[in-house]
C-alpha cells in the first residue's frame, strides 16, 4: 500500500514580520490568492487551473527548496485489465523568503509527500502513450500544490479521457468506475442515487450504472476522479459502503 506523507510542524511563533507588504504570511488567509496571482496566463490552462511548470516556478521563487524529486515508482495491475503507473514525489523546503526570522532561530523545513497515477483511461491521447511521464508530472504537480497550500485541482490532475459521446458506455469506462468505487469504498447504488441529477436529466426509473450512455458514464468517472484527487474528506458519507 502506497501512502502519502505530509508533515508540517507549525513552529513559526518567533517570526517578526513578513518580508514585504506584498507577501503574506505562509498559510495565512491571504496566502492562496497571493500564490495564484503569481502565475502567468501561460501557466494556467483554459479553465484557469494551475499547471505544473507554473507551480514549480512559484515554489522555487517563494521557498528555499531543499529537495524535489520522485522516490517511488510502481506498476499496478488491476485484475489484469487496467494498468496503473504510480509515482511518489517528495518535496522539502524552507519558507524562508516569506518571513524575517529572529536572528539565530533554527528555521524548520516543510516536508511534503505526494502520490499520483496514470493509466490509459484517465490520460488523453496522445499522452496516454507516455504513462510514466504523466504520472511523474501529476505527482510533482500535486506535491507543489500541497506545499503551496492551494485548495484547487491542477491542470494535470483533471485530464479526462476523450470518448465518443454517442452510444452506450464502453467496457473501459465501466471497469474504471468499478475500480475507483472499490478503492474509495463507495456504494454503486448510493452513488447513482446521490448523483442522479449530476449524471442525467432523464426522468423515470432509477439510473443503473451498466445502462448509462458514454456521455453519462463520462460524468460518473469525472466525479469519481475528483473524489480520488481531493481525498476521502470530500466524499459524502451517505454514498459510502456500510
Amino acid at each position: 500500500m502506497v501512502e502519502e506523507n505530509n508533515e508540517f510542524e507549525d513552529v513559526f511563533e518567533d517570526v517578526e514580520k513578513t518580508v514585504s507588504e506584498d507577501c503574506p504570511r505562509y498559510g495565512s488567509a491571504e496566502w492562496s490568492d497571493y500564490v495564484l496571482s503569481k502565475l502567468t496566463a501561460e501557466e494556467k490552462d483554459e479553465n484557469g487551473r494551475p499547471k505544473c511548470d507554473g507551480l514549480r516556478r512559484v515554489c522555487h521563487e517563494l521557498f528555499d527548496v531543499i529537495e524535489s524529486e520522485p522516490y517511488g515508482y510502481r506498476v499496478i495491475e488491476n485484475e489484469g485489465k487496467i494498468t496503473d503507473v504510480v509515482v511518489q514525489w517528495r518535496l522539502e523546503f524552507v519558507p524562508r523568503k516569506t518571513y524575517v526570522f529572529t536572528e539565530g532561530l533554527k528555521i524548520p523545513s516543510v516536508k511534503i509527500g505526494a502520490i499520483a497515477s496514470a493509466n490509459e483511461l484517465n490520460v488523453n491521447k496522445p499522452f496516454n502513450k507516455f504513462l510514466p511521464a504523466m504520472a511523474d508530472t501529476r505527482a510533482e504537480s500535486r506535491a507543489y500544490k500541497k506545499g503551496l497550500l492551494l485548495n484547487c485541482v491542477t491542470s494535470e490532475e483533471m485530464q479526462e479521457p476523450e470518448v465518443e459521446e454517442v452510444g452506450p458506455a464502453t467496457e473501459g469506462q465501466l471497469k474504471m468506475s468499478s475500480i475507483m468505487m472499490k478503492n474509495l469504498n463507495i456504494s454503486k447504488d448510493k452513488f447513482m442515487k446521490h448523483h442522479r441529477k449530476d449524471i442525467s436529466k432523464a426522468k423515470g426509473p432509477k439510473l443503473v450504472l451498466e445502462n448509462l450512455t458514454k456521455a453519462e458514464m463520462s460524468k460518473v468517472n469525472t466525479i469519481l476522479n475528483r473524489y480520488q484527487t481531493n481525498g476521502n474528506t470530500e466524499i459524502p458519507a451517505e454514498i459510502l459502503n456500510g
Side-chain angles (χ1 to χ4, degrees):
M1 183 71 167
V2 183
E3 296 183 353
E4 292 193 22
N5 175 44
N6 186 359
E7 301 178 4
F8 175 58
E9 186 178 4
D10 187 11
V11 292
F12 297 112
E13 291 154 1
D14 291 328
V15 175
E16 295 177 340
K17 60 182 179 179
T18 55
V19 171
S20 71
E21 294 297 328
D22 296 330
C23 184
R25 186 181 189 278
Y26 180 62
S28 65
E30 300 79 22
W31 173 257
S32 293
D33 288 340
Y34 173 76
V35 171
L36 293 174
S37 73
K38 303 286 287 184
L39 296 168
T40 66
E42 292 74 20
E43 292 170 339
K44 303 176 185 177
D45 66 16
E46 62 274 12
N47 294 309
R49 302 186 187 103
K51 298 179 182 178
C52 182
D53 57 347
L55 295 176
R56 183 191 304 120
R57 181 188 63 77
V58 173
C59 193
H60 281 77
E61 177 182 335
L62 296 178
F63 304 147
D64 290 339
V65 177
I66 299 171
E67 182 179 39
S68 180
E69 63 181 9
Y71 70 96
Y73 171 89
R74 68 174 62 184
V75 176
I76 300 176
E77 296 285 346
N78 293 297
E79 300 178 355
K81 299 174 182 177
I82 298 176
T83 299
D84 271 296
V85 177
V86 180
V87 173
Q88 292 172 281
W89 195 278
R90 63 179 159 220
L91 171 66
E92 183 177 1
F93 61 88
V94 176
R96 187 194 311 271
K97 299 173 186 176
T98 65
Y99 296 95
V100 172
F101 287 91
T102 302
E103 184 177 356
L105 174 68
K106 181 180 179 181
I107 305 174
S109 64
V110 178
K111 297 179 181 180
I112 299 293
I115 181 172
S117 66
N119 60 62
E120 60 184 8
L121 296 178
N122 67 9
V123 177
N124 291 337
K125 296 179 180 179
F127 303 107
N128 59 357
K129 296 180 180 179
F130 312 102
L131 297 181
M134 282 302 305
D136 183 81
T137 302
R138 284 179 173 176
E140 182 184 8
S141 178
R142 190 169 293 174
Y144 292 136
K145 178 186 74 172
K146 291 169 69 177
L148 290 165
L149 303 179
L150 297 178
N151 184 23
C152 65
V153 178
T154 66
S155 180
E156 290 77 16
E157 291 175 303
M158 281 303 294
Q159 280 203 37
E160 298 298 335
E162 297 171 346
V163 298
E164 294 291 335
E165 298 296 331
V166 179
T170 66
E171 183 180 353
Q173 286 179 302
L174 291 167
K175 288 177 182 176
M176 173 59 72
S177 66
S178 176
I179 290 170
M180 286 193 287
M181 285 185 182
K182 181 179 179 181
N183 291 340
L184 295 169
N185 192 36
I186 288 177
S187 164
K188 178 175 67 176
D189 291 337
K190 292 178 181 179
F191 176 91
M192 297 299 292
K193 182 178 180 181
H194 182 84
H195 286 290
R196 179 187 176 94
K197 292 182 180 179
D198 301 320
I199 298 169
S200 175
K201 298 186 182 302
K203 298 181 179 180
K206 72 175 185 178
L207 291 180
V208 178
L209 188 74
E210 292 75 13
N211 295 339
L212 296 181
T213 65
K214 287 182 180 179
E216 292 168 341
M217 198 66 216
S218 180
K219 294 176 182 178
V220 168
N221 286 337
T222 295
I223 296 169
L224 291 171
N225 264 319
R226 189 181 74 235
Y227 285 154
Q228 189 168 261
T229 296
N230 295 342
N232 294 339
T233 55
E234 185 183 330
I235 303 175
E238 57 266 29
I239 70 173
L240 295 174
N241 284 310

